[in-house]
Amino acid sequence: MNQTTRRGVRANRGVYFTVLMVITLGLIAASQSGLLAPIEGLLAAPLNAISGVINRAAVQVSGGVLDLAEIQSLQERNADLEAALARLQAEVVDLREVSSDYSRLADLVNYVSAAQGQDFLAADVIASEQTPLRTITINRGTRDGIQVGMPVVTAQGLVGRVIEVQSNASRVLLVSDPSSAISTRLQSTRAEGTVTGQVSGNLEMNFIPLGETILEGDLVITSGLGGNLPPDVVVGQVTSSRAGLDLYQVAQLRSLIDFDELEIVLVVTNFQPVDVSAFGQTGQ
Amino acid sequence: MGNYFGVPLLILAALLQVTVIPQIRILGGEPNLVMLLVITYAVQAPLEQGVAWAFVGGILQDLLTSLPLGATTLALLIVVFVIDRLRGKLVRLGFFSIIGVTILATVLLQVIALTLTILAGYNIRLFEMITYNIVPSIAYNLVFVFPTYWLMRRFCPPPVRVE
């Protein structure tokens, strides 16, 4: 920038600030309305590709750091075996990774075989976000047939729902996000309720009628009501319950999924969410 | 040097933000690398360069998160202008000024993000977000801002202006 421009900027800070604010607010409005989606997809594609590689490395290093701490405690207890242990431990880390990958993939294959009538697409988790929404980013997008609303699962149960799709990546709103609300039922008593995420990352099942029995350890599964998710997908397990406000009970749940350690997920590609908003309008 | 390394550095920070940083998260809080880079550069650089860093950094961060394009840019631009407005005072206040600007930037970023999320129709629990996300994020950013400031002064100073 030349000196004249610089002097202009310094002399007219107010105008400069106003112009930039207008441009930025215009960008936000255009982005919110979806006008910029093609450009955002184009710009984000290379970044998503790189973030997939970095994320994989970060997860491995994170696991490696924990294993390193184990090696150090062994070194203190037995100095003679220090070098041998370090070598063996490094091999163990590699083998654990292989074994862990195998185990996860075997679980997913078993799950896919057991779930009749559903088509799945496996995807790697390439990024995660905690605020303002709790989301993960997966390496599948419009090119792979992913659409907004598709459920995302693992062998342990429901992960969330696709809320944004780009060409080579998609964003998934986790069930543990406070804005997520899922129609569910208790597996043993069939009592229905709504599972919502908590800011702490836990799950809570609300609106369980007062007369229903809530058993600790009971599984909570999707009911399919509302048409947004397929029925009978595990959401979590009851850890405790209490009487809520009004005429309902509340159950605390724990998800069987560790959302911080997610690496591979399955997208249910043949599930079509049902738009029930038209019924609501008719009723009004 | 800041002009040459700015974009690659901001790209790297935005990528690390969504890949490595989640691994070191405490509660819901995490340091915001792009914000820290922009603040520590803007404190030493002329307004127009700080604006450029805020614009590029904000766009990059928004591309990799669920926020609409321009949300982070909006917060960073306001912070850069506040820094410019307080420039003389910032030099006198030194240590405390960096703390103040970091807290302001963290809060502003979160407020804009939460506002846009609410406007998009999502349900937000404000009090829990403050205790679980915003306060730990402020603490994290305060821990990281001084090493970042030192590194930026050492390795990425703004170009010397020839009047």
Side-chain angles (χ1 to χ4, degrees):
Chain A
M1 195 178 283
N2 61 34
Q3 280 190 15
T4 317
T5 316
R6 253 190 223 128
R7 282 193 195 116
V9 165
R10 274 180 244 146
N12 298 298
R13 279 184 166 77
V15 178
Y16 188 39
F17 178 74
T18 310
V19 169
L20 283 169
M21 286 298 112
V22 169
I23 292 172
T24 312
L25 290 172
L27 260 182
I28 294 171
S31 178
Q32 283 278 51
S33 63
L35 285 174
L36 295 178
I39 299 169
E40 285 177 42
L42 198 69
L43 292 173
L47 294 174
N48 285 326
I50 302 168
S51 86
V53 177
I54 299 177
N55 193 57
R56 188 90 183 153
V59 169
Q60 282 179 352
V61 170
S62 171
V65 169
L66 294 172
D67 290 327
L68 194 65
E70 286 175 26
I71 293 171
Q72 282 172 345
S73 70
L74 289 171
Q75 282 173 336
E76 287 168 10
R77 286 162 51 194
N78 194 337
D80 292 339
L81 292 172
E82 183 180 309
L85 271 176
R87 274 199 309 276
L88 287 170
Q89 195 69 27
E91 285 177 26
V92 168
V93 170
D94 289 343
L95 289 171
R96 272 185 193 158
E97 278 296 314
V98 172
S99 163
S100 161
D101 282 349
Y102 175 81
S103 168
R104 268 195 306 272
L105 290 169
D107 282 348
L108 290 176
V109 169
N110 289 338
Y111 179 76
V112 170
S113 309
Q116 297 295 321
Q118 291 186 331
D119 293 337
F120 295 97
L121 184 66
D124 285 338
V125 176
I126 59 171
S128 64
E129 185 190 3
Q130 180 80 5
T131 177
L133 294 175
R134 192 169 284 134
T135 63
I136 55 168
T137 308
I138 57 174
N139 68 339
R140 302 285 189 177
T142 48
R143 286 181 199 165
D144 309 289
I146 305 292
Q147 293 172 14
V148 169
M150 284 182 172
V152 178
V153 299
T154 69
Q156 284 74 41
L158 185 67
V159 173
R161 212 164 30 197
V162 175
I163 55 166
E164 188 184 336
V165 189
Q166 294 169 347
S167 60
N168 64 345
S170 304
R171 205 150 280 132
V172 179
L173 183 72
L174 298 178
V175 289
S176 58
D177 186 88
S179 62
S180 161
I182 300 160
S183 297
T184 54
R185 61 166 59 103
L186 293 166
Q187 193 178 38
S188 61
T189 64
R190 315 306 286 173
E192 288 176 357
T194 304
V195 169
T196 53
Q198 304 294 297
V199 174
S200 60
N202 295 327
L203 302 174
E204 200 171 79
M205 185 171 175
N206 297 293
F207 305 119
I208 308 169
L210 273 181
E212 298 288 351
T213 307
I214 303 173
L215 302 170
E216 203 172 300
D218 198 2
L219 284 178
V220 175
I221 56 177
T222 54
S223 66
L225 292 175
N228 286 324
L229 291 165
D232 302 330
V233 181
V234 175
V235 178
Q237 195 172 28
V238 176
T239 56
S240 63
S241 62
R242 62 182 160 81
L245 299 172
D246 304 323
L247 298 172
Y248 297 104
Q249 299 181 82
V250 178
Q252 300 294 325
L253 316 181
R254 71 177 180 89
S255 174
L256 306 181
I257 300 167
D258 183 351
F259 293 105
D260 289 332
E261 302 293 328
L262 273 177
E263 289 181 46
I264 303 169
V265 294
L266 296 169
V267 185
V268 184
T269 52
N270 66 338
F271 177 77
Q272 293 292 328
V274 180
D275 183 10
V276 293
S277 57
F279 299 117
Q281 284 165 5
T282 309
Q284 289 165 1
Chain B
M1 192 178 271
N3 278 346
Y4 300 111
F5 288 116
V7 174
L9 202 60
L10 290 168
I11 290 175
L12 183 66
L15 286 168
L16 292 178
Q17 187 68 42
V18 294
T19 53
V20 176
I21 294 298
Q23 306 291 329
I24 60 164
R25 197 160 50 205
I26 295 176
L27 294 177
E30 56 188 26
N32 188 321
L33 299 183
V34 171
M35 186 201 84
L36 290 171
L37 286 180
V38 172
I39 288 177
T40 52
Y41 188 77
V43 166
Q44 344 165 31
L47 174 65
E48 59 270 26
Q49 286 186 29
V51 164
W53 275 57
F55 212 86
V56 174
I59 295 287
L60 284 168
Q61 181 138 331
D62 291 339
L63 281 173
L64 287 167
T65 63
S66 56
L67 288 172
L69 209 63
T72 307
T73 308
L74 182 69
L76 293 178
L77 280 175
I78 294 172
V79 172
V80 167
F81 272 91
V82 170
I83 289 172
D84 182 65
R85 188 82 184 155
L86 300 174
R87 196 167 293 280
K89 291 172 191 161
L90 284 179
V91 174
R92 285 199 299 277
L93 293 171
F95 180 83
F96 294 105
S97 63
I98 298 283
I99 291 177
V101 167
T102 305
I103 294 172
L104 169 75
T106 310
V107 172
L108 198 59
L109 234 157
Q110 298 274 2
V111 166
I112 289 174
L114 290 177
T115 307
L116 290 170
T117 307
I118 291 167
L119 287 177
Y122 290 98
N123 170 33
I124 297 288
R125 292 172 200 176
L126 203 55
F127 179 73
E128 287 166 313
M129 284 295 279
I130 290 169
T131 53
Y132 194 77
N133 284 353
I134 299 179
V135 172
S137 292
I138 289 173
Y140 243 142
N141 283 329
L142 287 176
V143 168
F144 276 77
V145 74
F146 290 103
T148 313
Y149 182 64
W150 182 83
L151 286 169
M152 291 294 282
R153 277 187 76 104
R154 179 83 179 76
F155 297 108
C156 203
V160 179
R161 189 186 298 167
V162 182
E163 298 286 352

